[in-house]
Amino acid sequence: MRRTVGTYYQWVADLDATDEEAGALGQRVVDDLVRRGVVLPGLSSEAALGGQGHPVGPAWPETVEHPVPGGVSGEPPWGLEVRLGREVHDGAQYSVEAVTCPRCSVRRPFYGPPDELGPTGTDEAGLRAFYEAAATWRDGGEADLACAACGTTAPVTRWQAEGAALASLVFVFWEWDELRPEVLRWIADATGGHRIVDGPGKV
């Protein structure tokens, strides 16, 4: 494996894929990206950190906002890893910024001025409640979040999270420059129009 210190990636999550259909949808997306020349069909341990991924294809420069020779690490991107199964994706940074209630659409920020969110400027109770509910969902259970604005509760998977996603299907683009919006549209189209969100990550 190549450089593993300060490794960057971009995750792209399918918010609508069920546990049962995630595998088939993931393969459908890979097949489409292979057809476009973005990745190659085989798997390699050199294409993902600590796992197996699809090596980069010849059309990868067409997928990034600011293609530079060699990519972000001075080399071509590593490749694409498909992750299946319930997981909380937040770039490995514990970095969810806020959540929005699905009932009343009020946004609850977790970081802000100290005079509004306590001495550290962090809504520690809100963060703890989100990640505890997310962990319950990840482990196969169901958990609700309560909205302080409207007083109702809703499953954590129905809340809109900024900087994080609860998903059973995620595509990890290892050491890739910032993806163009078209790539997210390709993935959405291949999944049949599912809701697609993305974010940065670093390990």
Side-chain angles (χ1 to χ4, degrees):
M1 174 56 65
R2 291 171 281 180
R3 179 172 62 87
T4 58
V5 177
T7 301
Y8 293 85
Y9 61 91
Q10 184 170 346
W11 54 265
V12 180
D14 180 339
L15 297 181
D16 296 323
T18 65
D19 299 341
E20 295 75 20
E21 67 184 357
L25 286 173
Q27 187 59 56
R28 191 186 304 171
V29 170
V30 168
D31 290 344
D32 183 69
L33 295 180
V34 168
R35 179 181 62 81
R36 296 177 185 275
V38 177
V39 296
L40 302 179
L43 291 172
S44 169
S45 61
E46 291 292 309
L49 181 61
Q52 295 280 314
H54 296 273
V56 62
W60 76 265
E62 302 170 16
T63 68
V64 295
E65 288 286 5
H66 306 290
V68 296
V72 294
S73 63
E75 302 175 325
W78 292 8
L80 169 67
E81 180 185 5
V82 181
R83 293 183 178 176
L84 306 176
R86 294 188 178 192
E87 191 53 80
V88 182
H89 301 275
D90 61 359
Q93 301 292 311
Y94 202 70
S95 58
V96 60
E97 294 288 336
V99 292
T100 298
C101 176
R103 301 276 175 83
C104 68
S105 299
V106 170
R107 179 179 182 269
R108 179 173 182 173
F110 293 136
Y111 303 97
D115 57 343
E116 296 179 12
L117 295 176
T120 64
T122 303
D123 179 0
E124 296 180 1
L127 273 174
R128 183 168 57 252
F130 171 79
Y131 277 104
E132 287 177 352
T136 297
W137 171 83
R138 180 199 61 207
D139 295 339
E142 301 296 336
D144 293 338
L145 283 182
C147 179
C150 67
T152 61
T153 61
V156 64
T157 52
R158 292 186 55 199
W159 287 69
Q160 179 183 343
E162 299 174 23
L166 279 62
S168 296
L169 173 59
V170 166
F171 306 92
V172 181
F173 291 80
W174 287 101
E175 286 289 328
W176 222 281
D177 290 312
E178 183 181 358
L179 293 172
R180 290 179 177 173
E182 299 95 286
V183 180
L184 304 186
R185 289 198 295 270
W186 296 343
I187 293 174
D189 290 344
T191 61
H194 284 190
R195 293 174 298 154
I196 302 297
V197 296
D198 70 305
K202 179 184 177 182
V203 290

